mmCIF file of all heavy atoms in Angstrom:
data_model
loop_
_atom_site.group_PDB
_atom_site.id
_atom_site.type_symbol
_atom_site.label_atom_id
_atom_site.label_comp_id
_atom_site.label_asym_id
_atom_site.label_seq_id
_atom_site.Cartn_x
_atom_site.Cartn_y
_atom_site.Cartn_z
ATOM 1 N N PRO A 132 -5.152 -0.328 -9.258
ATOM 2 C CA PRO A 132 -4.985 -1.020 -7.980
ATOM 3 C C PRO A 132 -5.112 -2.544 -8.078
ATOM 4 O O PRO A 132 -4.561 -3.267 -7.260
ATOM 5 C CB PRO A 132 -6.110 -0.467 -7.106
ATOM 6 C CG PRO A 132 -6.498 0.818 -7.735
ATOM 7 C CD PRO A 132 -6.217 0.677 -9.198
ATOM 8 N N GLU A 133 -5.808 -3.019 -9.107
ATOM 9 C CA GLU A 133 -6.001 -4.461 -9.265
ATOM 10 C C GLU A 133 -4.804 -5.157 -9.902
ATOM 11 O O GLU A 133 -4.657 -6.366 -9.805
ATOM 12 C CB GLU A 133 -7.242 -4.754 -10.118
ATOM 13 C CG GLU A 133 -8.551 -4.344 -9.458
ATOM 14 C CD GLU A 133 -8.847 -2.856 -9.596
ATOM 15 O OE1 GLU A 133 -8.391 -2.226 -10.575
ATOM 16 O OE2 GLU A 133 -9.509 -2.308 -8.705
ATOM 17 N N VAL A 134 -3.942 -4.399 -10.593
ATOM 18 C CA VAL A 134 -2.756 -4.965 -11.244
ATOM 19 C C VAL A 134 -1.607 -4.884 -10.243
ATOM 20 O O VAL A 134 -1.302 -3.824 -9.724
ATOM 21 C CB VAL A 134 -2.410 -4.200 -12.541
ATOM 22 C CG1 VAL A 134 -1.152 -4.760 -13.176
ATOM 23 C CG2 VAL A 134 -3.586 -4.235 -13.505
ATOM 24 N N THR A 135 -0.947 -6.018 -9.993
ATOM 25 C CA THR A 135 0.080 -6.051 -8.946
ATOM 26 C C THR A 135 1.511 -6.195 -9.453
ATOM 27 O O THR A 135 2.442 -6.159 -8.660
ATOM 28 C CB THR A 135 -0.220 -7.191 -7.954
ATOM 29 O OG1 THR A 135 -0.253 -8.427 -8.665
ATOM 30 C CG2 THR A 135 -1.538 -6.964 -7.232
ATOM 31 N N THR A 136 1.699 -6.350 -10.761
ATOM 32 C CA THR A 136 3.051 -6.476 -11.314
ATOM 33 C C THR A 136 3.207 -5.534 -12.499
ATOM 34 O O THR A 136 2.355 -5.503 -13.395
ATOM 35 C CB THR A 136 3.325 -7.922 -11.766
ATOM 36 O OG1 THR A 136 3.125 -8.796 -10.653
ATOM 37 C CG2 THR A 136 4.756 -8.080 -12.263
ATOM 38 N N TYR A 137 4.314 -4.793 -12.500
ATOM 39 C CA TYR A 137 4.590 -3.832 -13.570
ATOM 40 C C TYR A 137 6.021 -3.985 -14.041
ATOM 41 O O TYR A 137 6.920 -4.260 -13.235
ATOM 42 C CB TYR A 137 4.389 -2.392 -13.065
ATOM 43 C CG TYR A 137 2.961 -2.087 -12.701
ATOM 44 C CD1 TYR A 137 2.496 -2.304 -11.412
ATOM 45 C CD2 TYR A 137 2.067 -1.610 -13.651
ATOM 46 C CE1 TYR A 137 1.180 -2.044 -11.079
ATOM 47 C CE2 TYR A 137 0.752 -1.348 -13.329
ATOM 48 C CZ TYR A 137 0.321 -1.565 -12.033
ATOM 49 O OH TYR A 137 -0.980 -1.314 -11.711
ATOM 50 N N ALA A 138 6.251 -3.797 -15.343
ATOM 51 C CA ALA A 138 7.594 -3.747 -15.921
ATOM 52 C C ALA A 138 7.788 -2.322 -16.413
ATOM 53 O O ALA A 138 7.002 -1.820 -17.214
ATOM 54 C CB ALA A 138 7.730 -4.740 -17.066
ATOM 55 N N VAL A 139 8.849 -1.670 -15.929
ATOM 56 C CA VAL A 139 9.087 -0.267 -16.242
ATOM 57 C C VAL A 139 10.468 -0.123 -16.859
ATOM 58 O O VAL A 139 11.466 -0.518 -16.246
ATOM 59 C CB VAL A 139 8.984 0.598 -14.963
ATOM 60 C CG1 VAL A 139 9.253 2.053 -15.276
ATOM 61 C CG2 VAL A 139 7.623 0.426 -14.309
ATOM 62 N N PRO A 140 10.551 0.441 -18.075
ATOM 63 C CA PRO A 140 11.867 0.671 -18.676
ATOM 64 C C PRO A 140 12.677 1.665 -17.843
ATOM 65 O O PRO A 140 12.139 2.659 -17.357
ATOM 66 C CB PRO A 140 11.551 1.259 -20.054
ATOM 67 C CG PRO A 140 10.085 1.060 -20.261
ATOM 68 C CD PRO A 140 9.462 0.872 -18.933
ATOM 69 N N SER A 141 13.964 1.375 -17.689
ATOM 70 C CA SER A 141 14.824 2.257 -16.908
ATOM 71 C C SER A 141 16.210 2.286 -17.527
ATOM 72 O O SER A 141 16.751 1.244 -17.897
ATOM 73 C CB SER A 141 14.904 1.750 -15.471
ATOM 74 O OG SER A 141 15.819 2.515 -14.735
ATOM 75 N N LYS A 142 16.767 3.471 -17.635
ATOM 76 C CA LYS A 142 18.128 3.637 -18.170
ATOM 77 C C LYS A 142 18.959 4.390 -17.151
ATOM 78 O O LYS A 142 18.473 5.300 -16.494
ATOM 79 C CB LYS A 142 18.101 4.440 -19.469
ATOM 80 C CG LYS A 142 17.334 3.786 -20.584
ATOM 81 C CD LYS A 142 17.311 4.693 -21.802
ATOM 82 C CE LYS A 142 16.394 4.137 -22.870
ATOM 83 N NZ LYS A 142 16.216 5.054 -23.978
ATOM 84 N N GLY A 143 20.207 4.004 -17.024
ATOM 85 C CA GLY A 143 21.116 4.739 -16.149
ATOM 86 C C GLY A 143 20.871 4.477 -14.682
ATOM 87 O O GLY A 143 20.729 3.340 -14.240
ATOM 88 N N LYS A 144 20.808 5.562 -13.907
ATOM 89 C CA LYS A 144 20.662 5.485 -12.460
ATOM 90 C C LYS A 144 19.363 4.770 -12.067
ATOM 91 O O LYS A 144 18.323 4.972 -12.673
ATOM 92 C CB LYS A 144 20.667 6.908 -11.889
ATOM 93 C CG LYS A 144 20.651 6.962 -10.405
ATOM 94 C CD LYS A 144 20.678 8.411 -9.926
ATOM 95 C CE LYS A 144 20.511 8.433 -8.415
ATOM 96 N NZ LYS A 144 20.416 9.796 -7.906
ATOM 97 N N VAL A 145 19.450 3.935 -11.042
ATOM 98 C CA VAL A 145 18.276 3.195 -10.563
ATOM 99 C C VAL A 145 17.333 4.190 -9.865
ATOM 100 O O VAL A 145 17.728 4.859 -8.915
ATOM 101 C CB VAL A 145 18.689 2.080 -9.585
ATOM 102 C CG1 VAL A 145 17.466 1.368 -9.042
ATOM 103 C CG2 VAL A 145 19.631 1.101 -10.258
ATOM 104 N N PRO A 146 16.080 4.293 -10.348
ATOM 105 C CA PRO A 146 15.145 5.261 -9.761
ATOM 106 C C PRO A 146 14.567 4.788 -8.429
ATOM 107 O O PRO A 146 14.541 3.591 -8.132
ATOM 108 C CB PRO A 146 14.044 5.364 -10.816
ATOM 109 C CG PRO A 146 14.052 4.022 -11.479
ATOM 110 C CD PRO A 146 15.482 3.582 -11.476
ATOM 111 N N THR A 147 14.100 5.724 -7.667
ATOM 112 C CA THR A 147 13.413 5.428 -6.410
ATOM 113 C C THR A 147 11.950 5.137 -6.711
ATOM 114 O O THR A 147 11.329 5.808 -7.533
ATOM 115 C CB THR A 147 13.506 6.633 -5.453
ATOM 116 O OG1 THR A 147 14.877 6.897 -5.190
ATOM 117 C CG2 THR A 147 12.788 6.365 -4.146
ATOM 118 N N VAL A 148 11.401 4.143 -6.047
ATOM 119 C CA VAL A 148 9.990 3.784 -6.211
ATOM 120 C C VAL A 148 9.233 4.311 -4.997
ATOM 121 O O VAL A 148 9.681 4.175 -3.860
ATOM 122 C CB VAL A 148 9.820 2.259 -6.352
ATOM 123 C CG1 VAL A 148 8.355 1.869 -6.368
ATOM 124 C CG2 VAL A 148 10.527 1.765 -7.613
ATOM 125 N N SER A 149 8.088 4.935 -5.242
ATOM 126 C CA SER A 149 7.234 5.425 -4.167
ATOM 127 C C SER A 149 5.823 4.886 -4.367
ATOM 128 O O SER A 149 5.465 4.453 -5.465
ATOM 129 C CB SER A 149 7.219 6.958 -4.146
ATOM 130 O OG SER A 149 6.725 7.460 -5.376
ATOM 131 N N ALA A 150 5.031 4.914 -3.315
ATOM 132 C CA ALA A 150 3.660 4.404 -3.403
ATOM 133 C C ALA A 150 2.783 5.112 -2.380
ATOM 134 O O ALA A 150 3.254 5.513 -1.317
ATOM 135 C CB ALA A 150 3.637 2.896 -3.158
ATOM 136 N N VAL A 151 1.498 5.236 -2.726
ATOM 137 C CA VAL A 151 0.517 5.854 -1.838
ATOM 138 C C VAL A 151 -0.637 4.867 -1.668
ATOM 139 O O VAL A 151 -1.191 4.380 -2.657
ATOM 140 C CB VAL A 151 -0.006 7.189 -2.413
ATOM 141 C CG1 VAL A 151 -1.078 7.780 -1.517
ATOM 142 C CG2 VAL A 151 1.142 8.173 -2.607
ATOM 143 N N SER A 152 -0.992 4.588 -0.425
ATOM 144 C CA SER A 152 -2.089 3.659 -0.176
ATOM 145 C C SER A 152 -3.436 4.338 -0.386
ATOM 146 O O SER A 152 -3.568 5.551 -0.223
ATOM 147 C CB SER A 152 -2.004 3.110 1.258
ATOM 148 O OG SER A 152 -2.102 4.174 2.184
ATOM 149 N N ALA A 153 -4.434 3.545 -0.755
ATOM 150 C CA ALA A 153 -5.794 4.065 -0.937
ATOM 151 C C ALA A 153 -6.361 4.526 0.404
ATOM 152 O O ALA A 153 -7.062 5.524 0.475
ATOM 153 C CB ALA A 153 -6.684 2.997 -1.566
ATOM 154 N N ASP A 154 -6.050 3.795 1.468
ATOM 155 C CA ASP A 154 -6.459 4.176 2.821
ATOM 156 C C ASP A 154 -5.279 4.889 3.473
ATOM 157 O O ASP A 154 -4.201 4.309 3.610
ATOM 158 C CB ASP A 154 -6.827 2.928 3.627
ATOM 159 C CG ASP A 154 -7.151 3.224 5.082
ATOM 160 O OD1 ASP A 154 -7.133 4.406 5.490
ATOM 161 O OD2 ASP A 154 -7.431 2.269 5.820
ATOM 162 N N PRO A 155 -5.452 6.138 3.888
ATOM 163 C CA PRO A 155 -4.311 6.866 4.460
ATOM 164 C C PRO A 155 -3.766 6.256 5.750
ATOM 165 O O PRO A 155 -2.668 6.599 6.171
ATOM 166 C CB PRO A 155 -4.869 8.267 4.703
ATOM 167 C CG PRO A 155 -6.343 8.113 4.741
ATOM 168 C CD PRO A 155 -6.669 6.938 3.875
ATOM 169 N N TYR A 156 -4.508 5.344 6.370
ATOM 170 C CA TYR A 156 -4.052 4.723 7.609
ATOM 171 C C TYR A 156 -3.431 3.346 7.394
ATOM 172 O O TYR A 156 -2.997 2.707 8.356
ATOM 173 C CB TYR A 156 -5.209 4.631 8.607
ATOM 174 C CG TYR A 156 -5.758 5.993 8.933
ATOM 175 C CD1 TYR A 156 -6.998 6.387 8.443
ATOM 176 C CD2 TYR A 156 -5.038 6.903 9.692
ATOM 177 C CE1 TYR A 156 -7.498 7.655 8.716
ATOM 178 C CE2 TYR A 156 -5.528 8.160 9.966
ATOM 179 C CZ TYR A 156 -6.756 8.530 9.485
ATOM 180 O OH TYR A 156 -7.245 9.786 9.746
ATOM 181 N N ALA A 157 -3.388 2.881 6.163
ATOM 182 C CA ALA A 157 -2.722 1.614 5.852
ATOM 183 C C ALA A 157 -1.209 1.836 5.923
ATOM 184 O O ALA A 157 -0.720 2.959 5.805
ATOM 185 C CB ALA A 157 -3.129 1.126 4.466
ATOM 186 N N THR A 158 -0.472 0.746 6.107
ATOM 187 C CA THR A 158 0.985 0.817 6.180
ATOM 188 C C THR A 158 1.581 0.361 4.847
ATOM 189 O O THR A 158 1.203 -0.691 4.329
ATOM 190 C CB THR A 158 1.504 -0.094 7.303
ATOM 191 O OG1 THR A 158 0.885 0.292 8.524
ATOM 192 C CG2 THR A 158 3.006 -0.002 7.450
ATOM 193 N N VAL A 159 2.504 1.162 4.319
ATOM 194 C CA VAL A 159 3.165 0.840 3.053
ATOM 195 C C VAL A 159 4.653 0.636 3.323
ATOM 196 O O VAL A 159 5.303 1.494 3.915
ATOM 197 C CB VAL A 159 2.970 1.964 2.014
ATOM 198 C CG1 VAL A 159 3.724 1.644 0.731
ATOM 199 C CG2 VAL A 159 1.493 2.194 1.733
ATOM 200 N N THR A 160 5.186 -0.517 2.895
ATOM 201 C CA THR A 160 6.610 -0.822 3.019
ATOM 202 C C THR A 160 7.157 -1.059 1.618
ATOM 203 O O THR A 160 6.569 -1.821 0.845
ATOM 204 C CB THR A 160 6.821 -2.088 3.874
ATOM 205 O OG1 THR A 160 6.165 -1.901 5.127
ATOM 206 C CG2 THR A 160 8.287 -2.354 4.107
ATOM 207 N N ILE A 161 8.277 -0.396 1.295
ATOM 208 C CA ILE A 161 8.844 -0.498 -0.052
ATOM 209 C C ILE A 161 10.287 -0.981 0.034
ATOM 210 O O ILE A 161 11.103 -0.401 0.739
ATOM 211 C CB ILE A 161 8.806 0.858 -0.785
ATOM 212 C CG1 ILE A 161 7.378 1.390 -0.840
ATOM 213 C CG2 ILE A 161 9.408 0.740 -2.182
ATOM 214 C CD1 ILE A 161 7.274 2.809 -1.369
ATOM 215 N N THR A 162 10.578 -2.053 -0.704
ATOM 216 C CA THR A 162 11.952 -2.490 -0.894
ATOM 217 C C THR A 162 12.412 -1.856 -2.206
ATOM 218 O O THR A 162 11.860 -2.156 -3.273
ATOM 219 C CB THR A 162 12.045 -4.030 -0.981
ATOM 220 O OG1 THR A 162 11.498 -4.587 0.207
ATOM 221 C CG2 THR A 162 13.484 -4.476 -1.165
ATOM 222 N N GLN A 163 13.386 -0.979 -2.117
ATOM 223 C CA GLN A 163 13.835 -0.227 -3.293
ATOM 224 C C GLN A 163 14.682 -1.116 -4.211
ATOM 225 O O GLN A 163 15.379 -2.019 -3.745
ATOM 226 C CB GLN A 163 14.656 0.993 -2.856
ATOM 227 C CG GLN A 163 13.854 2.044 -2.107
ATOM 228 C CD GLN A 163 12.786 2.688 -2.978
ATOM 229 O OE1 GLN A 163 12.901 2.803 -4.196
ATOM 230 N NE2 GLN A 163 11.699 3.114 -2.333
#
């Protein structure tokens, strides 16, 4: 949770990114 930037290898089709908040009542917005 403390690291905010990640580099992920990807080949072919662009994958969908998902995320789960630590607090279930927090709001999560994802730009794919």
Side-chain angles (χ1 to χ4, degrees):
E133 294 81 28
V134 178
T135 59
T136 303
Y137 295 90
V139 179
S141 175
K142 298 177 187 173
K144 185 179 174 185
V145 177
T147 300
V148 174
S149 60
V151 177
S152 61
D154 175 2
Y156 300 108
T158 303
V159 177
T160 305
I161 303 172
T162 302
Q163 294 295 331

